[in-house]
Amino acid sequence: MADLFTHILIGYTLAIVFSWRYEWISYPFVTAVMIGSTLPDLNRIDLVLPEETISVLLGLPFTWSPLHRVGGTLLIVCIGALLVPNAYRRVVFVLLSVGASSHYVLDLLLYKPSGITSPLLWPFVTHGLVVDGLYLSTDRWPVIAAAVLASLVWVVDRRLMHTDPDA
């Protein structure tokens, strides 16, 4: 999987490019896309709260894995949209979804030795997808490429699009 920074950079790049077309996407909304691009990796909360600890506390089997599936991410996106004022809920829902979608696209490009992804589309599809993949999770070039792309978009946005950073 591309590391978290790569997901954030790609989310930033997409949001800025979309803001050129849709003027209502201001910098706070760019942040919403960037946050959305990190949501599927909330399953890494296991590093802080291990599944075994939660299982013991609840007395039930427990796993964080569904958070890195479309169904779990959709639930988190809905919760995120409910945390903003009513006037912004639809916009935030869409932008969080765009960010999360970019995360899944990057994850689908990841090379798996078996050639089959984890069931990312659960609960809609319960099996993995067959994907060749472009890079390994240990490769560093995806973050370098994302940083170069984000830098170019930043320069174009600041210099050529004449945006006001205080807007």
Side-chain angles (χ1 to χ4, degrees):
M1 166 184 313
D3 67 345
L4 191 61
F5 190 53
T6 304
H7 289 297
I8 293 169
L9 289 171
I10 295 298
Y12 170 81
T13 302
L14 283 174
I16 293 296
V17 170
F18 286 155
S19 76
W20 297 340
R21 171 67 173 93
Y22 304 104
E23 292 180 12
W24 55 267
I25 300 179
S26 60
Y27 286 107
F29 291 137
V30 170
T31 305
V33 176
M34 293 167 65
I35 290 170
S37 71
T38 66
L39 292 179
D41 278 343
L42 283 179
N43 70 329
R44 302 251 173 96
I45 198 169
D46 186 48
L47 299 171
V48 177
L49 290 169
E51 295 173 344
E52 296 79 23
T53 304
I54 303 296
S55 292
V56 169
L57 289 173
L58 296 176
L60 299 168
F62 185 84
T63 182
W64 293 111
S65 296
L67 293 179
H68 200 278
R69 308 289 189 260
V70 171
T73 302
L74 183 61
L75 179 64
I76 300 294
V77 166
C78 290
I79 291 169
L82 288 174
L83 295 176
V84 299
N86 287 341
Y88 300 113
R89 285 189 179 159
R90 287 187 182 144
V91 171
V92 169
F93 177 84
V94 168
L95 295 176
L96 288 174
S97 298
V98 166
S101 298
S102 72
H103 183 108
Y104 285 118
V105 167
L106 283 180
D107 282 358
L108 286 175
L109 296 176
L110 178 67
Y111 173 77
K112 300 274 188 185
S114 66
I116 300 174
T117 67
S118 60
L120 294 176
L121 300 177
W122 178 90
F124 307 109
V125 177
T126 57
H127 56 279
L129 304 171
V130 178
V131 179
D132 284 336
L134 294 176
Y135 62 92
L136 297 170
S137 61
T138 56
D139 288 345
R140 295 293 171 224
W141 71 264
V143 73
I144 294 168
V148 168
L149 184 61
S151 298
L152 289 173
V153 167
W154 181 82
V155 167
V156 169
D157 187 53
R158 298 296 173 157
R159 307 276 185 211
L160 301 179
M161 300 307 289
H162 304 292
T163 59
D164 183 10
D166 297 327

